[in-house]
Amino acid sequence: MTEKLKLYGKEFDSRLLVGTALYPSPAIMRESVAASGSEIITLSLRRQSPAQQHGKMIWDYIQETGCQLLPNTAGCKTPKEVIALAEMSREIFGTDWLKLEVIGDDYNLQPDPFGLIEAARELVKRGFKVLPYCTDDLVVCRRLLDVGCEVLMPWGAPIGTGRGLMNKYNLQTLRERLPDTPLIIDAGIGAPSQACEAMEMGFDAVLLNTAIAKAQNPVLMAGSFKLAVESGRAARNAGLMLKRQTASPSTPTLDMPFWQQTVSEEKGEEKGEAKGEGEKV
Amino acid sequence: MAERKLSIAVAGAGLMGRLLAWRLSKVGHQITLFDSGSLEKPAGACQTAAGMISPLSELFHCPLPIYQLGMQSLQHWPHWVRQLEELSGESVDYRQKGSILIAHPQDRSELLQFQQELNAKLGPDNRDQLQWLDNSSLHNLEPELDRFDQGLFLASEADIDNRKLLSALHKALSQSNVQLRENTPVDCGPERIKTDSGDESFDLVIDTRGLGARDQIKGLRGVRGEVVVVETPEVKLNRPVRLLHPRYQLYAVPRANNQTVIGATEIESEDMSPISLRSTMELSSALYSIHPAFAEARVIETRVNCRPATMDNLPVLESEPGLIRINGLFRHGYLLAPALVLRAETEISRLTQATEQVT
């Protein structure tokens, strides 16, 4: 199936977005990006004195991947900081795409939903294509759509925890209530199986960094996530079977005459005994 | 077959340049050591570093060659230090008491992750290099770490007072017949050094200029590092301690005079401006969380520099006739330098023997 991921009018084949931080070296980062097949990569410039362009060497190196760059506002805590950094990112990288992060808690880096909406409103006005990193709260997500975001990136779990999809009920709610909004699971993905599960649940893409960058072999792990995301998407499209209850049989199993099954079900705990009698017969 | 004695120019008097000049002059080569700045106060990352020689700790997030070169360096530091201390009459506080890794209880998985990754990289034969410390064994080694009840001990690791070492090397070089040419920026070519006042010829040029050789080494970049030095008589650590944390990396290296060097940030930026408030807060609050008495420590100094690194973060040793370039020691200067000096020496013997055979 060749359906594309459509974000802000652009089409992508890959449904895996990756970060560029925390790798053992820039060279391994670039190899991992290539192995992941990603076409969109995030990068942070908060601490690199962007105004003075001191990080230019590494930015150029990242840009050579040819991927759509998604500068983020990691580390920002107020809409004001976010907007200043966003403007600088746009100027440096020549893209109005932005992964919006407004951090509400220093320890777990949880998004601040209030600051998020305020910042998103202003950024949309300024012409940014905003991809907000948000919680899995339906109302927060709806507000973000109201202020003009076209894509949402709810978390699976807090950044860097690798805990996977912590609140599947909320995530399922988002998917069902916002069927036409591209939803990307961002943060908290620790294992390919979790990324696969997000795709099976019908999310449009997955964004992660730590699980690849901090793996013992980041390149191998990147390839593994690529397969998982593709597999999960294909499974979603193929139509997953529903789970079945086979612990208590609804029809007789072949090795047991049906009248005995009825007997054993009626006897409940004495099942073994009933079976024993059957064998004697 | 005796080796021919060469006239060698070493460009860049950082750690690498000094060690090379010292070692090569000892075996009779005629050395000229150039530096664009002062030898008294080196401007490079060697002056900023904390002087840890920690191949195991570094293996956590570095490829195997860093560990292998580091283990080789560990074998040579002790007798090189002895010779230098004798020559210069100065102590360099080399200490091989291992290092300790700790994490707060809520970050215990960081310790487990470290252990798991190191064991995987080291293979089954080397696992005894990593020792799990329970409450009492941790407090036997470091009584001040009473807020922590477990840790990891890397017994083979060492550290050195980098500034004392650089000064001892300077002194040893001044007393030798090495020609010291400070405040002399140079360009390097095969058998040729170009200064502001013209070209000079040598049998061999060794370029160890770090970021000064940026245009000659493909993909060489600077990675900003920030370090704080504090002083307090209240907390006594016996060896380097690393605090593992999901987001901050902190090491605390105890030094003479109740000082502790704490570091280090790693920021992909060639920014040489003073330390940021955020980095100061991250480093100092992480230190405070190790022991509350650090709150009253005095901040003696903050240091900022850019480490020269290649895109794979591995060191470079390139050789062509008349020219050797060594660069990209990144954050591993003291860990890698002796091993790289030995490689350069091997390369030079190969060159000199080859020349003899030709002539």
Side-chain angles (χ1 to χ4, degrees):
Chain A
M1 192 166 287
T2 56
E3 34 111 48
K4 306 241 181 194
L5 172 67
K6 292 193 190 81
L7 306 173
Y8 285 107
K10 260 185 103 167
E11 294 191 338
F12 302 92
D13 289 314
S14 165
R15 290 175 178 270
L16 175 60
L17 292 73
V18 297
T20 54
L22 305 174
Y23 287 87
S25 72
I28 292 176
M29 177 268 291
R30 232 163 59 172
E31 260 185 82
S32 304
V33 169
S36 74
S38 293
E39 295 166 290
I40 306 172
I41 55 180
T42 67
L43 74 171
S44 158
L45 58 169
R46 180 83 178 101
R47 300 185 76 169
Q48 296 170 300
S49 51
Q52 286 79 39
Q53 305 250 332
H54 287 309
K56 191 167 184 324
M57 179 107 190
I58 198 79
W59 301 332
D60 288 349
Y61 192 74
I62 292 173
Q63 247 166 335
E64 283 169 23
T65 57
C67 295
Q68 165 71 48
L69 297 183
L70 185 56
N72 67 41
T73 59
C76 290
K77 301 174 101 172
T78 65
K80 197 173 162 223
E81 279 176 276
V82 162
I83 288 156
L85 187 62
E87 290 290 0
M88 249 179 302
S89 301
R90 176 153 69 179
E91 198 183 311
I92 290 169
F93 299 116
T95 177
D96 44 18
W97 285 49
L98 189 77
K99 174 181 166 183
L100 173 61
E101 284 185 47
V102 185
I103 297 307
D105 183 275
D106 252 343
Y107 196 75
N108 71 1
L109 305 177
Q110 178 164 347
D112 172 354
F114 308 98
L116 205 54
I117 290 158
E118 191 186 331
R121 180 182 290 121
E122 178 61 26
L123 288 166
V124 169
K125 261 190 227 160
R126 292 178 183 229
F128 283 94
K129 298 184 166 66
V130 180
L131 294 87
Y133 164 56
C134 53
T135 54
D136 51 25
D137 185 290
L138 173 65
V139 179
V140 170
C141 286
R142 284 216 314 244
R143 294 277 182 276
L144 285 165
L145 296 176
D146 290 346
V147 300
C149 296
E150 291 181 21
V151 179
L152 298 175
M153 304 209 292
W155 67 359
I159 294 177
T161 56
R163 289 182 170 269
L165 310 176
M166 293 281 284
N167 193 334
K168 285 179 204 166
Y169 176 79
N170 272 15
L171 291 172
Q172 197 63 58
T173 304
L174 286 185
R175 183 64 291 175
E176 283 168 18
R177 297 291 300 277
L178 307 171
D180 302 322
T181 304
L183 295 177
I184 300 170
I185 295 293
D186 180 3
I189 299 291
S193 54
Q194 297 162 354
C196 186
E197 186 181 17
M199 298 308 294
E200 287 171 4
M201 284 174 72
F203 289 95
D204 295 275
V206 167
L207 192 163
L208 61 120
N209 186 183
T210 311
I212 293 178
K214 291 281 198 186
Q216 285 169 34
N217 185 335
V219 180
L220 189 59
M221 189 60 89
S224 164
F225 269 102
K226 175 180 191 280
L227 295 173
V229 167
E230 286 171 359
S231 171
R233 182 67 188 180
R236 171 76 177 184
N237 288 337
L240 288 154
M241 68 175 281
L242 295 179
K243 283 177 188 159
R244 285 187 179 138
Q245 178 57 279
T246 56
S248 47
S250 54
T251 50
T253 51
L254 265 184
D255 61 348
M256 193 187 287
F258 59 87
W259 69 85
Q260 289 191 337
Q261 186 152 7
T262 318
V263 171
S264 63
E265 273 171 14
E266 278 166 5
K267 284 194 171 178
E269 287 180 18
E270 295 166 49
K271 210 172 195 170
E273 206 182 315
K275 199 177 174 192
E277 281 169 15
E279 276 165 4
K280 268 183 226 162
V281 172
Chain B
M1 181 170 55
E3 283 178 28
R4 195 159 65 88
K5 298 306 171 199
L6 306 177
S7 73
I8 301 177
V10 178
L15 173 64
M16 211 45 224
R18 282 172 203 229
L19 275 177
L20 271 170
W22 172 57
R23 295 271 308 171
L24 293 173
S25 72
K26 271 196 343 166
V27 295
H29 295 297
Q30 184 56 52
I31 310 294
T32 311
L33 178 62
F34 293 90
D35 198 89
S36 60
S38 122
L39 289 179
E40 194 69 42
K41 280 197 172 159
C46 60
Q47 176 82 346
T48 316
M52 277 182 296
I53 304 159
S54 47
L56 290 157
S57 305
E58 293 299 318
L59 182 57
F60 182 41
H61 211 49
C62 291
L64 208 56
I66 300 289
Y67 163 77
Q68 288 158 337
L69 291 167
M71 290 308 279
Q72 194 185 1
S73 293
L74 263 181
Q75 288 171 8
H76 294 276
W77 270 123
H79 62 267
W80 289 18
V81 160
R82 242 186 335 269
Q83 292 168 3
L84 255 177
E85 288 183 332
E86 268 171 36
L87 268 175
S88 63
E90 294 178 3
S91 160
V92 302
D93 294 354
Y94 180 81
R95 165 175 58 193
Q96 190 164 13
K97 284 192 177 176
S99 59
I100 283 181
L101 286 87
I102 46 174
H104 290 291
Q106 63 271 36
D107 304 327
R108 186 167 179 265
S109 66
E110 304 292 318
L111 278 178
L112 296 171
Q113 176 92 42
F114 183 97
Q115 189 187 29
Q116 178 191 318
E117 181 161 343
L118 239 66
N119 282 339
K121 284 183 174 172
L122 287 169
D125 300 337
N126 288 304
R127 294 206 172 146
D128 53 348
Q129 296 196 71
L130 202 63
Q131 231 177 292
W132 191 266
L133 297 175
D134 62 12
N135 200 315
S136 68
S137 47
L138 173 64
H139 300 152
N140 277 339
L141 290 167
E142 293 293 348
E144 304 273 21
L145 295 180
D146 50 10
R147 287 188 150 193
F148 298 84
D149 55 12
Q150 56 194 351
L152 284 166
F153 184 44
L154 312 174
S156 57
E157 298 197 332
D159 65 288
I160 195 166
D161 187 320
N162 57 317
R163 292 191 173 176
K164 289 187 175 177
L165 175 75
L166 293 169
S167 151
L169 278 164
H170 185 197
K171 195 154 177 206
L173 291 170
S174 316
Q175 291 164 359
S176 71
N177 61 354
V178 172
Q179 238 196 82
L180 301 177
R181 306 259 302 267
E182 49 188 338
N183 303 312
T184 314
V186 298
D187 277 336
C188 298
E191 301 181 3
R192 185 186 58 79
I193 283 281
K194 191 175 169 213
T195 69
D196 289 344
S197 42
D199 278 16
E200 297 177 33
S201 294
F202 297 88
D203 296 328
L204 175 67
V205 170
I206 308 179
D207 183 358
T208 65
R209 288 175 297 157
L211 286 175
R214 163 194 321 275
D215 299 337
Q216 279 75 47
I217 308 275
K218 192 173 171 280
L220 193 71
R221 74 193 201 284
V223 180
R224 176 176 163 95
E226 297 155 309
V227 163
V228 176
V229 184
V230 300
E231 186 181 310
T232 175
E234 288 186 58
V235 190
K236 298 225 184 293
L237 298 174
N238 300 314
R239 53 179 63 72
V241 170
R242 283 178 197 247
L243 177 70
L244 302 182
H245 184 277
R247 273 182 299 288
Y248 319 131
Q249 293 293 325
L250 178 92
Y251 57 71
V253 183
R255 287 265 177 267
N257 306 322
N258 298 321
Q259 295 189 353
T260 306
V261 180
I262 61 174
T265 57
E266 205 173 300
I267 299 169
E268 285 288 352
S269 171
E270 297 198 357
D271 174 7
M272 294 283 281
S273 63
I275 189 168
S276 70
L277 186 64
R278 171 194 288 240
S279 298
T280 315
M281 284 163 55
E282 284 180 3
L283 292 174
S284 46
S285 65
L287 183 70
Y288 174 71
S289 78
I290 290 181
H291 198 298
F294 274 120
E296 280 305 316
R298 295 298 181 259
V299 177
I300 301 300
E301 189 191 349
T302 62
R303 309 172 180 172
V304 173
N305 221 317
C306 287
R307 317 160 174 101
T310 59
M311 285 299 176
D312 59 9
N313 289 347
L314 290 171
V316 177
L317 196 157
E318 292 171 359
S319 173
E320 59 178 289
L323 179 64
I324 295 176
R325 296 187 195 279
I326 305 173
N327 214 317
L329 276 68
F330 188 34
R331 61 169 197 218
H332 309 118
Y334 292 83
L335 179 66
L336 302 182
L340 291 173
V341 165
L342 294 171
R343 297 216 168 172
E345 287 173 357
T346 311
E347 191 62 25
I348 292 165
S349 327
R350 203 177 59 80
L351 289 175
T352 51
Q353 282 165 13
T355 355
E356 276 197 0
Q357 278 160 8
V358 171
T359 47

